[in-house]
Amino acid sequence: MVKFTLCLAACVASATAFAPAAKTAFGTSLSAKQDFLEAEPYYDQSTVPVNVYKNKAPFTGKVVSTKRIVGPKATGETCHIIIDHEGDFPYWEGQSWGVIPPGVREKDGKPHAVRLYSIASSRYGDDMTGKTGSLCVRRATYWCPELKADDPAKKGICSNFLCDSQPGDEVMMTGPAGKVMLMPEEDPSTDYIMVATGTGIAPYRGFIRRLFVEDPPAGNVYKGQAWLFLGVANSDALLYDDEWQSVKEKFPDNFRLDYALSREQENKKGGKMYIQDKVEEYADEVFTKLDNGAHIYFCGLKGMMPGIQDMLKSVCEAKGISYDEWLKGLKKAKQWHVEVY
């Protein structure tokens, strides 16, 4: 297949960057077609798995690899973690896994609560066998102004467990969770506008691999445009940039990419370039796409949404549109997708 041939090098490079050397342990070779985990028809969402594994009876996965994926000048550490589920924990792009960190809480001796993480791979996993899934996790730390150092007592329990994990470590997992971020694949001309801050990039990596890198039926017929907006602090904090650039080079008409680098770029008012400022630069195009049926997704820290909503409201006012009615229409048509944390 032409598309698959064009992308094979990118697939191998991308999967190799994160997958273990002994990929044969996961079964299928990279040359296999990705069509064995599809619904019938492939866009039918009636069989999407939800909450198959729960807190009281979690699934036990095993870490395949953990890799730091940001540069030395990034604000914090972000890791890409591949987990082997042996094909027993299926999920769809846009869903999340729950992770229960080991140990108990100091205050009451009870097990730690579940932390949800958006899955950062397609349903076929980075090795495309259907037996692994990936997470994109930023290590949560707390800088103590008195100590003038990170306070280990206040670090994020789950994120540090995952970022410190080693191959073979067991991970207690729940889910898969959520349907709000699924792609509506019935119309292959649907445009997707994907807005992320930081590790909110995770679900979009699954989307983009499905649409452009792997060989599933949805990708083979896709003729719309996927537009990715990613906001991070600086160039060293960019996530999966090599993958996005590869897709952009091979599918320039179907994939667009825009970054908001708050510590390196300025917005039109001379301030820091945040994600809402970058989207605003293309407000007319974004609104036109949404009027024509595009779906827009937001994923990242919940603090991103007030700025986004204020920007959209001001654009609506400039266009003489009621923001509340406009947003109500998008939600009614199921074109508005938000997952923030």
Side-chain angles (χ1 to χ4, degrees):
M1 193 159 290
V2 175
K3 176 183 151 187
F4 189 60
T5 303
L6 284 170
C7 279
L8 185 56
C11 291
V12 174
S14 177
T16 303
F18 299 116
K23 289 194 290 292
T24 51
F26 301 99
T28 313
S29 73
L30 283 176
S31 61
K33 190 173 183 178
Q34 286 73 57
D35 61 359
F36 53 92
L37 294 176
E38 302 296 324
E40 184 57 48
Y42 67 86
Y43 50 79
D44 180 7
Q45 297 182 355
S46 64
T47 59
V48 174
V50 178
N51 297 326
V52 177
Y53 295 96
K54 299 178 174 62
N55 297 23
K56 293 184 178 179
F59 179 85
T60 302
K62 284 193 175 182
V63 173
V64 174
S65 62
T66 302
K67 179 183 176 70
R68 178 187 169 105
I69 57 171
V70 290
K73 296 181 181 179
T75 50
E77 180 180 22
T78 300
C79 295
H80 183 88
I81 299 127
I82 299 178
I83 299 173
D84 180 11
H85 60 78
E86 299 183 338
D88 295 327
F89 201 162
Y91 58 87
W92 282 35
E93 298 76 16
Q95 290 192 292
S96 299
W97 271 342
V99 175
I100 305 173
V104 296
R105 301 186 301 198
E106 288 186 12
K107 63 179 181 180
D108 56 16
K110 294 182 179 180
H112 291 294
V114 173
R115 272 72 162 184
L116 286 177
Y117 294 93
S118 297
I119 301 171
S121 55
S122 80
R123 68 191 72 180
Y124 295 99
D126 287 0
D127 61 357
M128 293 182 261
T129 63
K131 297 182 179 181
T132 68
S134 302
L135 299 178
C136 178
V137 180
R138 175 169 172 164
R139 185 189 296 274
T141 57
Y142 173 77
W143 177 266
C144 178
E146 294 180 3
L147 295 174
K148 294 184 178 179
D150 287 335
D151 184 349
K154 296 181 179 179
K155 68 181 183 180
I157 299 295
C158 197
S159 66
N160 279 268
F161 160 66
L162 289 169
C163 289
D164 289 335
S165 64
Q166 300 292 318
D169 286 355
E170 293 187 344
V171 182
M172 306 299 286
M173 304 162 65
T174 65
K179 287 186 174 183
V180 71
M181 296 291 281
L182 298 177
M183 289 192 294
E185 297 178 329
E186 186 168 1
D187 181 356
S189 64
T190 298
D191 288 342
Y192 300 110
I193 303 168
M194 304 165 285
V195 183
T197 56
T199 56
I201 195 71
Y204 309 142
R205 183 173 183 265
F207 291 7
I208 292 165
R209 287 180 66 83
R210 181 166 174 81
L211 293 174
F212 302 113
V213 179
E214 299 171 3
D215 193 26
N220 289 335
V221 299
Y222 186 65
K223 55 186 179 183
Q225 185 179 77
W227 192 351
L228 176 62
F229 290 91
L230 172 61
V232 292
N234 56 33
S235 298
D236 268 21
L238 288 172
L239 301 170
Y240 310 111
D241 178 61
D242 56 335
E243 298 187 31
W244 313 145
Q245 299 300 339
S246 177
V247 173
K248 185 179 177 182
E249 181 181 352
K250 293 176 174 63
F251 301 95
D253 296 331
N254 302 97
F255 180 67
R256 290 178 68 172
L257 175 66
D258 281 282
Y259 290 144
L261 307 177
S262 61
R263 298 190 183 181
E264 296 178 7
Q265 299 171 335
E266 288 187 353
N267 61 26
K268 64 182 182 181
K269 297 178 182 177
K272 290 183 177 181
M273 176 70 78
Y274 291 113
I275 190 70
Q276 63 267 26
D277 302 314
K278 181 57 67 172
V279 176
E280 187 177 14
E281 288 184 5
Y282 301 96
D284 288 342
E285 282 187 85
V286 168
F287 271 61
T288 297
K289 282 181 175 289
L290 291 170
D291 287 344
N292 292 330
H295 284 243
I296 191 164
Y297 297 78
F298 301 94
C299 189
L301 294 174
K302 60 184 178 182
M304 72 185 279
M305 289 312 293
I308 289 280
Q309 290 169 317
D310 287 346
M311 179 274 292
L312 293 173
K313 188 172 184 179
S314 68
V315 173
C316 281
E317 289 175 354
K319 291 178 176 289
I321 300 171
S322 165
Y323 171 71
D324 291 338
E325 290 300 313
W326 176 80
L327 182 57
K328 183 179 178 181
L330 289 179
K331 290 180 176 180
K332 184 176 181 180
K334 299 182 179 180
Q335 293 170 250
W336 179 268
H337 310 259
V338 179
E339 186 169 84
V340 293
Y341 40 85

